[in-house]
Amino acid sequence: MKFMTSLVCAAAAIACLPAAHADVLAKAKESGKITMAYRESSVPFSYLSGGQNAIGFSVDISNAVADVVRKQIGKPDLKVEWQSVTSANRIPLIQNGTVALECGSTTNNSARGKDVDFAINYFYTGTRAAVKKSANIKNWADLKGKTIAITTGTTNLPVVRKYSADNKLDISITQSKDHVDGFLLMENDRAAAFAMDDILLYGLKANSKDPNAYEVVADSLQVEPYACMLPKGDEAFKKIVDGVIGGMMKSGEFAKLYDKWFMQP
């Protein structure tokens, strides 16, 4: 029997590997804490207030998930720890178990779905460009032969590259570490534009030193559905996250959060 078990494991090695990080609830119960991810500049989804505390639309959702986890595992004193992530490292940190949940400005697509699981989609946006009003740039054709900034590790990179190639625009791309850095490249004239999801561009514009100096232009290149990321194959935790978001949508709490973070100064 032991020999047969070994043969089965050899034939399906992945299935026989221990799920070291897949059981978020068990890990939280044992450690007394759960680690949530936040982005430093994905306004209004997740960002730092005063350079210290993570706040935002998706931070509130993450905290609501933590409340349900507390009840589920019977630990009302469960501690929530926050881990800063970037576009480049957010998926690896979910995969290696450093982070249990990443709710922010992450696009749900099939390529990423091979490495992580996604909760239900909660926002839709698209790739556009932030520019200086004085640059007189109104569409993608106006960026022909120019340099634009895009954040490393985002879906916007391949989308813009393909559009540039298909339309023979010869756009050069310089990659930034995060969204604030990309916007800064445009502000300092090191790039003619910063291409990113339009909702994030509006957030960066609103929080800039002179919001009236910038505008968001060009047609949206494709639809980007946002969703929370969580470890692959953790059905119990995914059920909680989906239940929290779906419950908020049904109860009206989701609309209240939207009004709080998207419709207020």
Side-chain angles (χ1 to χ4, degrees):
M1 181 62 70
K2 185 176 180 180
F3 176 70
M4 290 301 295
T5 301
S6 298
L7 285 179
V8 171
C9 283
I14 294 177
C16 293
L17 289 174
H21 303 295
D23 195 338
V24 169
L25 298 182
K27 187 176 178 181
K29 189 171 185 177
E30 180 182 353
S31 66
K33 65 181 181 180
I34 186 169
T35 303
M36 305 289 197
Y38 73 91
R39 298 294 297 271
E40 293 186 359
S41 57
S42 286
V43 179
F45 295 91
S46 174
Y47 61 105
L48 286 178
S49 172
Q52 294 182 338
N53 300 317
I55 62 170
F57 177 75
S58 53
V59 172
D60 283 355
I61 291 174
S62 297
N63 279 320
V65 170
D67 285 339
V68 175
V69 170
R70 288 186 180 100
K71 295 175 184 176
Q72 187 87 3
I73 66 175
K75 274 189 171 290
D77 59 344
L78 180 73
K79 183 181 178 182
V80 176
E81 294 189 346
W82 293 94
Q83 170 72 46
S84 172
V85 299
T86 66
S87 297
N89 69 15
R90 55 189 165 177
I91 292 177
L93 289 176
I94 288 283
Q95 288 180 299
N96 68 20
T98 300
V99 170
L101 186 68
E102 191 270 346
C103 293
S105 53
T106 296
T107 297
N108 176 1
N109 61 31
S110 56
R112 289 171 173 169
K114 295 175 182 177
D115 300 318
V116 297
D117 278 340
F118 284 95
I120 56 178
N121 296 339
Y122 62 49
F123 195 86
Y124 293 85
T125 183
T127 305
R128 297 178 68 195
V131 299
K132 288 184 174 180
K133 286 183 179 179
S134 59
N136 197 30
I137 294 170
K138 299 300 179 184
N139 52 50
W140 294 106
D142 292 336
L143 289 165
K144 184 174 182 178
K146 299 183 184 297
T147 296
I148 68 172
I150 304 179
T151 305
T152 299
T154 61
T155 54
N156 312 89
L157 267 167
V159 168
V160 173
R161 279 176 177 155
K162 184 178 186 304
Y163 186 85
S164 176
D166 290 348
N167 293 275
K168 298 179 173 57
L169 296 181
D170 194 30
I171 291 174
S172 296
I173 297 174
T174 181
Q175 298 186 37
S176 61
K177 186 186 78 170
D178 213 333
H179 309 323
V180 165
D181 301 309
F183 197 87
L184 188 62
L185 288 172
M186 180 271 296
E187 280 185 306
N188 294 338
D189 294 318
R190 293 176 62 189
F194 174 50
M196 187 47 53
D197 302 337
D198 58 4
I199 184 61
L200 301 182
L201 297 178
Y202 283 114
L204 291 164
K205 173 181 178 293
N207 283 281
S208 66
K209 294 177 181 177
D210 184 9
N212 291 325
Y214 309 100
E215 58 185 341
V216 178
V217 302
D219 293 334
S220 180
L221 294 188
Q222 77 171 25
V223 175
E224 303 279 350
Y226 286 176
C228 297
M229 284 196 304
L230 57 148
K232 192 77 175 171
D234 194 335
E235 294 301 325
F237 186 52
K238 177 172 166 52
K239 185 177 179 180
I240 287 176
V241 181
D242 283 343
V244 167
I245 298 171
M248 284 181 162
M249 290 176 176
K250 291 176 183 177
S251 70
E253 183 62 27
F254 193 88
K256 290 178 182 177
L257 279 183
Y258 184 90
D259 183 69
K260 172 184 175 182
W261 293 106
F262 291 85
M263 305 303 292
Q264 309 299 324

